[in-house]
Amino acid sequence: NAGVMQNPRHLVRRRGQEARLRCSPMKGHSHVYWYRQLPEEGLKFMVYLQKENIIDESGMPKERFSAEFPKEGPSILRIQQVVRGDSAAYFCASSPPGLGEAFFGQGTRLTVV
Amino acid sequence: KNEVEQSPQNLTAQEGEFITINCSYSVGISALHWLQQHPGGGIVSLFMLSSGKKKHGRLIATINIQEKHSSLHITASHPRDSAVYICAVRSGANSKLTFGKGITLSVRP
């Protein structure tokens, strides 16, 4: 059973471009969470999704950021028109229903130049 | 005030020492997680606790629900234990995690 898979591991984008971060949860896990770790700061919640539904997006910036978890395929975190302040490590975690155990991916390190 | 506070912020120890990292929280929780992150690396879940005590190898985690406090102990510390240790709490079974800022531990040989 493969762990939570995130890709790419490293992503470099120029200001104004789009960034797409992918997360494939562990097999059997229907809950996906995205967290952001800014340089020298702690982890912050962004969004919680189940298949085809956004459950809690209270941590998502109001503009440029969106997330989805389609019926088929990985969860996608999309950042439009990236700015330097978006440079961070983005972590995905998945959990099975009801248990609350958290399994994290290796993260995607986004650098905006 | 943050919902999750960790102390000390940075910690240096000699190999072989017994280490304690503390975490206090101010909200009601369903579970508390201890996580480990090596520099530039991913995040590994060490423990999930809702009561009492858990042990895995040289690591021991305890939680006191009444006092809203948890500790992570490392026995016979080793340089490979050098990492950031993060405490996180969850208010419901599948709700989001709220994190402390993490403790940077350095174990010298």
Side-chain angles (χ1 to χ4, degrees):
Chain A
N1 189 5
V4 178
M5 303 300 292
Q6 287 189 250
N7 66 80
R9 290 289 305 276
H10 300 274
L11 181 61
V12 179
R13 284 287 177 265
R14 295 187 183 278
R15 280 179 295 169
Q17 290 185 321
E18 179 179 286
R20 283 192 177 223
L21 289 63
R22 294 174 187 78
C23 169
S24 295
M26 290 181 68
K27 188 176 180 180
H29 289 194
S30 56
H31 301 255
V32 166
Y33 309 80
W34 286 94
Y35 299 98
R36 178 165 67 173
Q37 187 175 42
L38 291 164
E40 307 303 322
E41 292 189 23
L43 286 150
K44 302 289 184 189
F45 167 77
M46 299 184 75
V47 62
Y48 162 31
L49 310 106
Q50 295 179 23
K51 286 283 185 182
E52 300 184 281
N53 285 303
I54 297 175
I55 307 301
D56 181 355
E57 57 181 346
S58 58
M60 286 281 269
K62 295 285 185 249
E63 296 177 347
R64 301 188 297 108
F65 285 72
S66 62
E68 62 176 7
F69 187 17
K71 187 176 180 182
E72 300 291 336
S75 176
I76 306 287
L77 179 67
R78 182 182 178 207
I79 311 172
Q80 294 179 291
Q81 299 176 318
V82 295
V83 301
R84 289 226 171 104
D86 297 332
S87 296
Y90 293 82
F91 288 94
C92 168
S94 73
S95 64
L99 294 181
E101 188 64 76
F103 297 86
F104 284 81
Q106 289 293 302
T108 293
R109 279 146 182 91
L110 171 67
T111 302
V112 179
V113 297
Chain B
K1 190 179 187 302
N2 292 328
E3 292 181 342
V4 183
E5 297 278 357
Q6 292 189 245
S7 63
Q9 186 172 5
N10 295 293
L11 184 57
T12 300
Q14 285 297 129
E15 184 174 356
E17 285 185 355
F18 179 86
I19 294 166
T20 296
I21 298 169
N22 296 304
C23 175
S24 297
Y25 54 92
S26 57
V27 295
I29 67 168
S30 63
L32 181 143
H33 297 250
W34 281 102
L35 310 168
Q36 180 193 56
Q37 185 179 25
H38 284 98
I43 295 169
V44 175
S45 180
L46 298 174
F47 294 103
M48 183 179 77
L49 290 163
S50 54
S51 65
K53 175 180 175 178
K54 286 189 177 180
K55 183 176 188 292
H56 185 256
R58 295 181 294 107
L59 302 179
I60 303 166
T62 63
I63 188 168
N64 185 318
I65 297 293
Q66 286 73 32
E67 294 186 5
K68 295 186 175 176
H69 180 270
S70 176
S71 293
L72 176 68
H73 306 286
I74 305 174
T75 62
S77 60
H78 190 276
R80 65 175 174 265
D81 296 326
S82 299
V84 177
Y85 291 85
I86 303 166
C87 172
V89 299
R90 192 189 293 278
S91 60
N94 281 113
S95 63
K96 66 186 180 187
L97 287 172
T98 301
F99 301 86
K101 290 188 176 180
I103 303 288
T104 301
L105 171 66
S106 176
V107 181
R108 294 178 177 167

